[in-house]
PDB file of all heavy atoms in Angstrom:
ATOM      1  N   ALA E   1       0.825  -1.231  -0.004  1.00  0.00           N
ATOM      2  CA  ALA E   1       0.016   0.033  -0.007  1.00  0.00           C
ATOM      3  C   ALA E   1       0.849   1.275  -0.051  1.00  0.00           C
ATOM      4  O   ALA E   1       1.801   1.416   0.806  1.00  0.00           O
ATOM      5  CB  ALA E   1      -0.899  -0.037   1.200  1.00  0.00           C
ATOM      6  N   TYR E   2       0.524   2.164  -0.992  1.00  0.00           N
ATOM      7  CA  TYR E   2       1.070   3.530  -0.976  1.00  0.00           C
ATOM      8  C   TYR E   2       2.629   3.613  -1.250  1.00  0.00           C
ATOM      9  O   TYR E   2       3.205   4.607  -1.066  1.00  0.00           O
ATOM     10  CB  TYR E   2       0.807   4.305   0.351  1.00  0.00           C
ATOM     11  CG  TYR E   2      -0.661   4.425   0.647  1.00  0.00           C
ATOM     12  CD1 TYR E   2      -1.248   3.645   1.636  1.00  0.00           C
ATOM     13  CD2 TYR E   2      -1.454   5.308  -0.084  1.00  0.00           C
ATOM     14  CE1 TYR E   2      -2.617   3.745   1.885  1.00  0.00           C
ATOM     15  CE2 TYR E   2      -2.874   5.415   0.180  1.00  0.00           C
ATOM     16  CZ  TYR E   2      -3.344   4.639   1.179  1.00  0.00           C
ATOM     17  OH  TYR E   2      -4.720   4.760   1.430  1.00  0.00           O
ATOM     18  N   THR E   3       3.212   2.524  -1.759  1.00  0.00           N
ATOM     19  CA  THR E   3       4.639   2.540  -1.916  1.00  0.00           C
ATOM     20  C   THR E   3       5.042   3.510  -3.063  1.00  0.00           C
ATOM     21  O   THR E   3       6.106   4.067  -3.047  1.00  0.00           O
ATOM     22  CB  THR E   3       5.173   1.171  -2.305  1.00  0.00           C
ATOM     23  OG1 THR E   3       4.488   0.655  -3.400  1.00  0.00           O
ATOM     24  CG2 THR E   3       5.162   0.209  -1.126  1.00  0.00           C
ATOM     25  N   SER E   4       4.143   3.782  -4.018  1.00  0.00           N
ATOM     26  CA  SER E   4       4.402   4.731  -5.062  1.00  0.00           C
ATOM     27  C   SER E   4       3.882   6.128  -4.829  1.00  0.00           C
ATOM     28  O   SER E   4       4.106   6.983  -5.617  1.00  0.00           O
ATOM     29  CB  SER E   4       3.762   4.231  -6.414  1.00  0.00           C
ATOM     30  OG  SER E   4       2.350   4.200  -6.304  1.00  0.00           O
ATOM     31  N   GLN E   5       3.193   6.321  -3.615  1.00  0.00           N
ATOM     32  CA  GLN E   5       2.575   7.626  -3.363  1.00  0.00           C
ATOM     33  C   GLN E   5       3.249   8.440  -2.267  1.00  0.00           C
ATOM     34  O   GLN E   5       2.906   9.605  -2.041  1.00  0.00           O
ATOM     35  CB  GLN E   5       1.094   7.427  -3.081  1.00  0.00           C
ATOM     36  CG  GLN E   5       0.365   6.751  -4.224  1.00  0.00           C
ATOM     37  CD  GLN E   5      -1.100   6.473  -3.786  1.00  0.00           C
ATOM     38  OE1 GLN E   5      -1.762   7.289  -3.186  1.00  0.00           O
ATOM     39  NE2 GLN E   5      -1.533   5.293  -4.080  1.00  0.00           N
ATOM     40  N   ILE E   6       4.148   7.846  -1.507  1.00  0.00           N
ATOM     41  CA  ILE E   6       4.761   8.519  -0.375  1.00  0.00           C
ATOM     42  C   ILE E   6       6.233   8.709  -0.613  1.00  0.00           C
ATOM     43  O   ILE E   6       6.855   7.978  -1.426  1.00  0.00           O
ATOM     44  CB  ILE E   6       4.577   7.734   0.961  1.00  0.00           C
ATOM     45  CG1 ILE E   6       5.266   6.361   0.950  1.00  0.00           C
ATOM     46  CG2 ILE E   6       3.088   7.609   1.271  1.00  0.00           C
ATOM     47  CD1 ILE E   6       5.269   5.648   2.245  1.00  0.00           C
ATOM     48  N   CYS E   7       6.799   9.710   0.035  1.00  0.00           N
ATOM     49  CA  CYS E   7       8.205  10.038  -0.149  1.00  0.00           C
ATOM     50  C   CYS E   7       9.081   9.076   0.704  1.00  0.00           C
ATOM     51  O   CYS E   7       8.744   8.818   1.848  1.00  0.00           O
ATOM     52  CB  CYS E   7       8.471  11.538   0.328  1.00  0.00           C
ATOM     53  SG  CYS E   7      10.172  12.008   0.332  1.00  0.00           S
ATOM     54  N   HIS E   8      10.068   8.576   0.085  1.00  0.00           N
ATOM     55  CA  HIS E   8      10.969   7.574   0.837  1.00  0.00           C
ATOM     56  C   HIS E   8      11.752   8.283   1.958  1.00  0.00           C
ATOM     57  O   HIS E   8      12.230   7.581   2.885  1.00  0.00           O
ATOM     58  CB  HIS E   8      11.918   6.970  -0.170  1.00  0.00           C
ATOM     59  CG  HIS E   8      13.020   7.880  -0.642  1.00  0.00           C
ATOM     60  ND1 HIS E   8      12.860   8.671  -1.747  1.00  0.00           N
ATOM     61  CD2 HIS E   8      14.219   8.123  -0.195  1.00  0.00           C
ATOM     62  CE1 HIS E   8      13.974   9.342  -1.999  1.00  0.00           C
ATOM     63  NE2 HIS E   8      14.822   9.091  -1.006  1.00  0.00           N
ATOM     64  N   ALA E   9      11.890   9.605   1.887  1.00  0.00           N
ATOM     65  CA  ALA E   9      12.652  10.302   2.889  1.00  0.00           C
ATOM     66  C   ALA E   9      11.850  10.735   4.107  1.00  0.00           C
ATOM     67  O   ALA E   9      12.270  10.536   5.231  1.00  0.00           O
ATOM     68  CB  ALA E   9      13.327  11.539   2.275  1.00  0.00           C
ATOM     69  N   CYS E  10      10.653  11.251   3.850  1.00  0.00           N
ATOM     70  CA  CYS E  10       9.812  11.765   4.973  1.00  0.00           C
ATOM     71  C   CYS E  10       8.562  10.923   5.220  1.00  0.00           C
ATOM     72  O   CYS E  10       7.860  11.228   6.210  1.00  0.00           O
ATOM     73  CB  CYS E  10       9.426  13.242   4.766  1.00  0.00           C
ATOM     74  SG  CYS E  10       8.288  13.518   3.384  1.00  0.00           S
ATOM     75  N   ASN E  11       8.272   9.940   4.375  1.00  0.00           N
ATOM     76  CA  ASN E  11       7.144   9.025   4.548  1.00  0.00           C
ATOM     77  C   ASN E  11       5.770   9.793   4.552  1.00  0.00           C
ATOM     78  O   ASN E  11       4.840   9.315   5.117  1.00  0.00           O
ATOM     79  CB  ASN E  11       7.304   8.205   5.817  1.00  0.00           C
ATOM     80  CG  ASN E  11       8.338   7.244   5.763  1.00  0.00           C
ATOM     81  OD1 ASN E  11       8.613   6.612   4.743  1.00  0.00           O
ATOM     82  ND2 ASN E  11       9.177   7.121   6.844  1.00  0.00           N
ATOM     83  N   ARG E  12       5.734  10.894   3.798  1.00  0.00           N
ATOM     84  CA  ARG E  12       4.453  11.625   3.648  1.00  0.00           C
ATOM     85  C   ARG E  12       4.006  11.583   2.194  1.00  0.00           C
ATOM     86  O   ARG E  12       4.795  11.346   1.345  1.00  0.00           O
ATOM     87  CB  ARG E  12       4.586  13.139   4.160  1.00  0.00           C
ATOM     88  CG  ARG E  12       4.711  13.202   5.688  1.00  0.00           C
ATOM     89  CD  ARG E  12       4.948  14.609   6.183  1.00  0.00           C
ATOM     90  NE  ARG E  12       6.242  15.064   5.802  1.00  0.00           N
ATOM     91  CZ  ARG E  12       6.710  16.255   6.120  1.00  0.00           C
ATOM     92  NH1 ARG E  12       5.929  17.122   6.787  1.00  0.00           N
ATOM     93  NH2 ARG E  12       7.982  16.675   5.732  1.00  0.00           N
ATOM     94  N   LEU E  13       2.663  11.796   2.068  1.00  0.00           N
ATOM     95  CA  LEU E  13       2.145  11.709   0.682  1.00  0.00           C
ATOM     96  C   LEU E  13       2.723  12.790  -0.226  1.00  0.00           C
ATOM     97  O   LEU E  13       2.877  13.967   0.192  1.00  0.00           O
ATOM     98  CB  LEU E  13       0.636  11.815   0.743  1.00  0.00           C
ATOM     99  CG  LEU E  13      -0.114  10.597   1.219  1.00  0.00           C
ATOM    100  CD1 LEU E  13      -1.603  10.906   1.289  1.00  0.00           C
ATOM    101  CD2 LEU E  13       0.033   9.423   0.229  1.00  0.00           C
ATOM    102  N   GLY E  14       3.069  12.421  -1.466  1.00  0.00           N
ATOM    103  CA  GLY E  14       3.474  13.378  -2.463  1.00  0.00           C
ATOM    104  C   GLY E  14       2.554  13.225  -3.648  1.00  0.00           C
ATOM    105  O   GLY E  14       1.411  12.772  -3.572  1.00  0.00           O
ATOM    106  N   ARG E  15       3.055  13.607  -4.869  1.00  0.00           N
ATOM    107  CA  ARG E  15       2.259  13.561  -6.010  1.00  0.00           C
ATOM    108  C   ARG E  15       3.100  13.112  -7.217  1.00  0.00           C
ATOM    109  O   ARG E  15       4.348  13.259  -7.193  1.00  0.00           O
ATOM    110  CB  ARG E  15       1.506  14.883  -6.285  1.00  0.00           C
ATOM    111  CG  ARG E  15       2.465  15.994  -6.668  1.00  0.00           C
ATOM    112  CD  ARG E  15       1.652  17.265  -6.980  1.00  0.00           C
ATOM    113  NE  ARG E  15       2.519  18.304  -7.509  1.00  0.00           N
ATOM    114  CZ  ARG E  15       3.121  19.205  -6.682  1.00  0.00           C
ATOM    115  NH1 ARG E  15       2.923  19.211  -5.433  1.00  0.00           N
ATOM    116  NH2 ARG E  15       3.885  20.165  -7.262  1.00  0.00           N
ATOM    117  N   ARG E  16       2.441  12.667  -8.263  1.00  0.00           N
ATOM    118  CA  ARG E  16       3.156  12.316  -9.471  1.00  0.00           C
ATOM    119  C   ARG E  16       2.515  13.084 -10.644  1.00  0.00           C
ATOM    120  O   ARG E  16       1.501  12.717 -11.149  1.00  0.00           O
ATOM    121  CB  ARG E  16       3.027  10.738  -9.724  1.00  0.00           C
ATOM    122  CG  ARG E  16       3.755   9.946  -8.680  1.00  0.00           C
ATOM    123  CD  ARG E  16       3.639   8.447  -8.903  1.00  0.00           C
ATOM    124  NE  ARG E  16       4.260   7.981 -10.123  1.00  0.00           N
ATOM    125  CZ  ARG E  16       4.579   6.657 -10.293  1.00  0.00           C
ATOM    126  NH1 ARG E  16       4.234   5.799  -9.441  1.00  0.00           N
ATOM    127  NH2 ARG E  16       5.213   6.306 -11.433  1.00  0.00           N
ATOM    128  N   ASP E  17       3.182  14.221 -10.898  1.00  0.00           N
ATOM    129  CA  ASP E  17       2.665  15.027 -12.013  1.00  0.00           C
ATOM    130  C   ASP E  17       2.863  14.335 -13.301  1.00  0.00           C
ATOM    131  O   ASP E  17       2.109  14.593 -14.266  1.00  0.00           O
ATOM    132  CB  ASP E  17       3.378  16.377 -12.042  1.00  0.00           C
ATOM    133  CG  ASP E  17       3.124  17.190 -10.748  1.00  0.00           C
ATOM    134  OD1 ASP E  17       1.990  17.001 -10.108  1.00  0.00           O
ATOM    135  OD2 ASP E  17       3.973  17.975 -10.320  1.00  0.00           O
ATOM    136  N   GLU E  18       3.929  13.535 -13.429  1.00  0.00           N
ATOM    137  CA  GLU E  18       4.209  12.723 -14.590  1.00  0.00           C
ATOM    138  C   GLU E  18       4.467  11.283 -14.173  1.00  0.00           C
ATOM    139  O   GLU E  18       4.766  11.038 -13.007  1.00  0.00           O
ATOM    140  CB  GLU E  18       5.435  13.328 -15.397  1.00  0.00           C
ATOM    141  CG  GLU E  18       5.203  14.709 -15.905  1.00  0.00           C
ATOM    142  CD  GLU E  18       6.415  15.171 -16.702  1.00  0.00           C
ATOM    143  OE1 GLU E  18       7.409  14.386 -16.858  1.00  0.00           O
ATOM    144  OE2 GLU E  18       6.453  16.360 -17.036  1.00  0.00           O
ATOM    145  N   GLN E  19       4.339  10.366 -15.084  1.00  0.00           N
ATOM    146  CA  GLN E  19       4.405   8.988 -14.798  1.00  0.00           C
ATOM    147  C   GLN E  19       5.738   8.654 -14.087  1.00  0.00           C
ATOM    148  O   GLN E  19       5.812   7.859 -13.149  1.00  0.00           O
ATOM    149  CB  GLN E  19       4.293   8.115 -16.061  1.00  0.00           C
ATOM    150  CG  GLN E  19       4.499   6.619 -15.849  1.00  0.00           C
ATOM    151  CD  GLN E  19       3.445   5.986 -14.959  1.00  0.00           C
ATOM    152  OE1 GLN E  19       2.313   6.528 -14.841  1.00  0.00           O
ATOM    153  NE2 GLN E  19       3.824   4.940 -14.306  1.00  0.00           N
ATOM    154  N   ALA E  20       6.870   9.225 -14.614  1.00  0.00           N
ATOM    155  CA  ALA E  20       8.181   8.864 -14.075  1.00  0.00           C
ATOM    156  C   ALA E  20       8.726   9.877 -13.018  1.00  0.00           C
ATOM    157  O   ALA E  20       9.861   9.730 -12.607  1.00  0.00           O
ATOM    158  CB  ALA E  20       9.164   8.798 -15.219  1.00  0.00           C
ATOM    159  N   GLU E  21       7.823  10.796 -12.598  1.00  0.00           N
ATOM    160  CA  GLU E  21       8.378  11.797 -11.686  1.00  0.00           C
ATOM    161  C   GLU E  21       7.521  11.833 -10.373  1.00  0.00           C
ATOM    162  O   GLU E  21       6.322  11.958 -10.409  1.00  0.00           O
ATOM    163  CB  GLU E  21       8.310  13.186 -12.340  1.00  0.00           C
ATOM    164  CG  GLU E  21       8.809  14.307 -11.460  1.00  0.00           C
ATOM    165  CD  GLU E  21       8.670  15.638 -12.172  1.00  0.00           C
ATOM    166  OE1 GLU E  21       9.611  15.966 -12.955  1.00  0.00           O
ATOM    167  OE2 GLU E  21       7.696  16.329 -11.958  1.00  0.00           O
ATOM    168  N   PHE E  22       8.227  11.746  -9.214  1.00  0.00           N
ATOM    169  CA  PHE E  22       7.536  11.887  -7.932  1.00  0.00           C
ATOM    170  C   PHE E  22       7.973  13.219  -7.329  1.00  0.00           C
ATOM    171  O   PHE E  22       9.133  13.609  -7.335  1.00  0.00           O
ATOM    172  CB  PHE E  22       7.961  10.786  -6.979  1.00  0.00           C
ATOM    173  CG  PHE E  22       7.490  10.929  -5.617  1.00  0.00           C
ATOM    174  CD1 PHE E  22       6.186  10.458  -5.254  1.00  0.00           C
ATOM    175  CD2 PHE E  22       8.209  11.537  -4.612  1.00  0.00           C
ATOM    176  CE1 PHE E  22       5.642  10.634  -3.969  1.00  0.00           C
ATOM    177  CE2 PHE E  22       7.718  11.730  -3.327  1.00  0.00           C
ATOM    178  CZ  PHE E  22       6.445  11.282  -3.008  1.00  0.00           C
ATOM    179  N   VAL E  23       6.975  13.982  -6.791  1.00  0.00           N
ATOM    180  CA  VAL E  23       7.185  15.262  -6.211  1.00  0.00           C
ATOM    181  C   VAL E  23       6.813  15.227  -4.808  1.00  0.00           C
ATOM    182  O   VAL E  23       5.661  14.889  -4.441  1.00  0.00           O
ATOM    183  CB  VAL E  23       6.434  16.391  -6.997  1.00  0.00           C
ATOM    184  CG1 VAL E  23       6.619  17.704  -6.297  1.00  0.00           C
ATOM    185  CG2 VAL E  23       6.880  16.471  -8.424  1.00  0.00           C
ATOM    186  N   CYS E  24       7.735  15.626  -3.907  1.00  0.00           N
ATOM    187  CA  CYS E  24       7.396  15.768  -2.484  1.00  0.00           C
ATOM    188  C   CYS E  24       7.155  17.279  -2.241  1.00  0.00           C
ATOM    189  O   CYS E  24       8.084  18.076  -2.376  1.00  0.00           O
ATOM    190  CB  CYS E  24       8.527  15.292  -1.606  1.00  0.00           C
ATOM    191  SG  CYS E  24       8.216  15.383   0.143  1.00  0.00           S
ATOM    192  N   PRO E  25       5.915  17.668  -1.863  1.00  0.00           N
ATOM    193  CA  PRO E  25       5.516  19.036  -1.674  1.00  0.00           C
ATOM    194  C   PRO E  25       5.907  19.694  -0.397  1.00  0.00           C
ATOM    195  O   PRO E  25       5.631  20.817  -0.096  1.00  0.00           O
ATOM    196  CB  PRO E  25       4.055  19.029  -1.876  1.00  0.00           C
ATOM    197  CG  PRO E  25       3.611  17.698  -1.317  1.00  0.00           C
ATOM    198  CD  PRO E  25       4.750  16.779  -1.631  1.00  0.00           C
ATOM    199  N   HIS E  26       6.510  18.883   0.541  1.00  0.00           N
ATOM    200  CA  HIS E  26       6.757  19.336   1.887  1.00  0.00           C
ATOM    201  C   HIS E  26       8.093  20.103   1.969  1.00  0.00           C
ATOM    202  O   HIS E  26       9.132  19.592   1.652  1.00  0.00           O
ATOM    203  CB  HIS E  26       6.748  18.179   2.852  1.00  0.00           C
ATOM    204  CG  HIS E  26       5.507  17.388   2.750  1.00  0.00           C
ATOM    205  ND1 HIS E  26       4.249  17.876   3.333  1.00  0.00           N
ATOM    206  CD2 HIS E  26       5.188  16.189   2.163  1.00  0.00           C
ATOM    207  CE1 HIS E  26       3.322  16.919   3.052  1.00  0.00           C
ATOM    208  NE2 HIS E  26       3.872  15.892   2.405  1.00  0.00           N
ATOM    209  N   ASP E  27       8.050  21.346   2.443  1.00  0.00           N
ATOM    210  CA  ASP E  27       9.219  22.223   2.434  1.00  0.00           C
ATOM    211  C   ASP E  27      10.331  21.738   3.320  1.00  0.00           C
ATOM    212  O   ASP E  27      11.538  22.041   3.169  1.00  0.00           O
ATOM    213  CB  ASP E  27       8.799  23.649   2.819  1.00  0.00           C
ATOM    214  CG  ASP E  27       7.903  24.376   1.810  1.00  0.00           C
ATOM    215  OD1 ASP E  27       7.985  23.843   0.596  1.00  0.00           O
ATOM    216  OD2 ASP E  27       7.214  25.205   2.157  1.00  0.00           O
ATOM    217  N   ASP E  28       9.915  20.978   4.406  1.00  0.00           N
ATOM    218  CA  ASP E  28      10.960  20.611   5.367  1.00  0.00           C
ATOM    219  C   ASP E  28      11.610  19.246   5.006  1.00  0.00           C
ATOM    220  O   ASP E  28      12.426  18.697   5.711  1.00  0.00           O
ATOM    221  CB  ASP E  28      10.353  20.434   6.758  1.00  0.00           C
ATOM    222  CG  ASP E  28       9.173  19.447   6.802  1.00  0.00           C
ATOM    223  OD1 ASP E  28       8.619  19.170   5.704  1.00  0.00           O
ATOM    224  OD2 ASP E  28       8.818  19.006   7.878  1.00  0.00           O
ATOM    225  N   CYS E  29      11.221  18.732   3.811  1.00  0.00           N
ATOM    226  CA  CYS E  29      11.874  17.497   3.323  1.00  0.00           C
ATOM    227  C   CYS E  29      12.950  17.808   2.287  1.00  0.00           C
ATOM    228  O   CYS E  29      12.755  18.750   1.440  1.00  0.00           O
ATOM    229  CB  CYS E  29      10.832  16.597   2.667  1.00  0.00           C
ATOM    230  SG  CYS E  29      11.505  15.023   2.017  1.00  0.00           S
ATOM    231  N   HIS E  30      14.111  17.184   2.317  1.00  0.00           N
ATOM    232  CA  HIS E  30      15.170  17.504   1.375  1.00  0.00           C
ATOM    233  C   HIS E  30      14.873  17.001  -0.048  1.00  0.00           C
ATOM    234  O   HIS E  30      15.585  17.404  -0.961  1.00  0.00           O
ATOM    235  CB  HIS E  30      16.486  16.927   1.882  1.00  0.00           C
ATOM    236  CG  HIS E  30      16.559  15.426   1.819  1.00  0.00           C
ATOM    237  ND1 HIS E  30      16.139  14.622   2.844  1.00  0.00           N
ATOM    238  CD2 HIS E  30      17.004  14.575   0.847  1.00  0.00           C
ATOM    239  CE1 HIS E  30      16.285  13.410   2.466  1.00  0.00           C
ATOM    240  NE2 HIS E  30      16.844  13.278   1.272  1.00  0.00           N
ATOM    241  N   VAL E  31      13.886  16.089  -0.221  1.00  0.00           N
ATOM    242  CA  VAL E  31      13.482  15.648  -1.524  1.00  0.00           C
ATOM    243  C   VAL E  31      12.501  16.568  -2.163  1.00  0.00           C
ATOM    244  O   VAL E  31      11.496  16.944  -1.530  1.00  0.00           O
ATOM    245  CB  VAL E  31      12.915  14.190  -1.412  1.00  0.00           C
ATOM    246  CG1 VAL E  31      12.313  13.793  -2.778  1.00  0.00           C
ATOM    247  CG2 VAL E  31      13.973  13.194  -0.959  1.00  0.00           C
ATOM    248  N   THR E  32      12.765  17.055  -3.320  1.00  0.00           N
ATOM    249  CA  THR E  32      11.777  17.846  -4.087  1.00  0.00           C
ATOM    250  C   THR E  32      11.215  17.007  -5.260  1.00  0.00           C
ATOM    251  O   THR E  32      10.021  16.760  -5.275  1.00  0.00           O
ATOM    252  CB  THR E  32      12.460  19.156  -4.573  1.00  0.00           C
ATOM    253  OG1 THR E  32      13.627  18.782  -5.377  1.00  0.00           O
ATOM    254  CG2 THR E  32      12.809  20.090  -3.552  1.00  0.00           C
ATOM    255  N   GLU E  33      12.066  16.608  -6.199  1.00  0.00           N
ATOM    256  CA  GLU E  33      11.695  15.710  -7.269  1.00  0.00           C
ATOM    257  C   GLU E  33      12.558  14.479  -7.241  1.00  0.00           C
ATOM    258  O   GLU E  33      13.782  14.560  -6.907  1.00  0.00           O
ATOM    259  CB  GLU E  33      11.813  16.399  -8.593  1.00  0.00           C
ATOM    260  CG  GLU E  33      10.902  17.642  -8.742  1.00  0.00           C
ATOM    261  CD  GLU E  33      11.049  18.284 -10.113  1.00  0.00           C
ATOM    262  OE1 GLU E  33      11.921  17.778 -10.906  1.00  0.00           O
ATOM    263  OE2 GLU E  33      10.372  19.270 -10.410  1.00  0.00           O
ATOM    264  N   PHE E  34      11.978  13.341  -7.559  1.00  0.00           N
ATOM    265  CA  PHE E  34      12.659  12.059  -7.527  1.00  0.00           C
ATOM    266  C   PHE E  34      12.094  11.155  -8.538  1.00  0.00           C
ATOM    267  O   PHE E  34      10.869  11.250  -8.955  1.00  0.00           O
ATOM    268  CB  PHE E  34      12.520  11.392  -6.214  1.00  0.00           C
ATOM    269  CG  PHE E  34      13.752  10.664  -5.697  1.00  0.00           C
ATOM    270  CD1 PHE E  34      14.798  11.255  -5.196  1.00  0.00           C
ATOM    271  CD2 PHE E  34      13.765   9.259  -5.905  1.00  0.00           C
ATOM    272  CE1 PHE E  34      15.969  10.514  -4.713  1.00  0.00           C
ATOM    273  CE2 PHE E  34      14.889   8.501  -5.493  1.00  0.00           C
ATOM    274  CZ  PHE E  34      15.993   9.161  -4.855  1.00  0.00           C
ATOM    275  N   GLN E  35      12.887  10.282  -9.171  1.00  0.00           N
ATOM    276  CA  GLN E  35      12.441   9.318 -10.093  1.00  0.00           C
ATOM    277  C   GLN E  35      11.439   8.413  -9.417  1.00  0.00           C
ATOM    278  O   GLN E  35      11.699   7.895  -8.393  1.00  0.00           O
ATOM    279  CB  GLN E  35      13.581   8.477 -10.716  1.00  0.00           C
ATOM    280  CG  GLN E  35      13.357   7.951 -12.075  1.00  0.00           C
ATOM    281  CD  GLN E  35      12.368   6.759 -12.185  1.00  0.00           C
ATOM    282  OE1 GLN E  35      12.168   6.096 -11.149  1.00  0.00           O
ATOM    283  NE2 GLN E  35      11.835   6.510 -13.354  1.00  0.00           N
TER     284      GLN E  35
END
């Protein structure tokens, strides 16, 4: 469950604007965009 929808760094929900791109919208997380 949710392995493709949460950020691996902060474990919070992000979004996928494109199929191959994961975006973490949380400012306090060092991840912004990730494959």
Side-chain angles (χ1 to χ4, degrees):
Y2 301 106
T3 52
S4 63
Q5 300 176 44
I6 63 174
C7 175
H8 71 272
C10 68
N11 292 319
R12 289 177 288 183
L13 285 173
R15 66 177 188 270
R16 294 178 68 163
D17 296 333
E18 298 180 7
Q19 176 65 26
E21 180 183 277
F22 174 85
V23 176
C24 182
H26 305 285
D27 294 336
D28 58 342
C29 179
H30 70 272
V31 172
T32 53
E33 296 180 359
F34 213 81
Q35 209 285 339

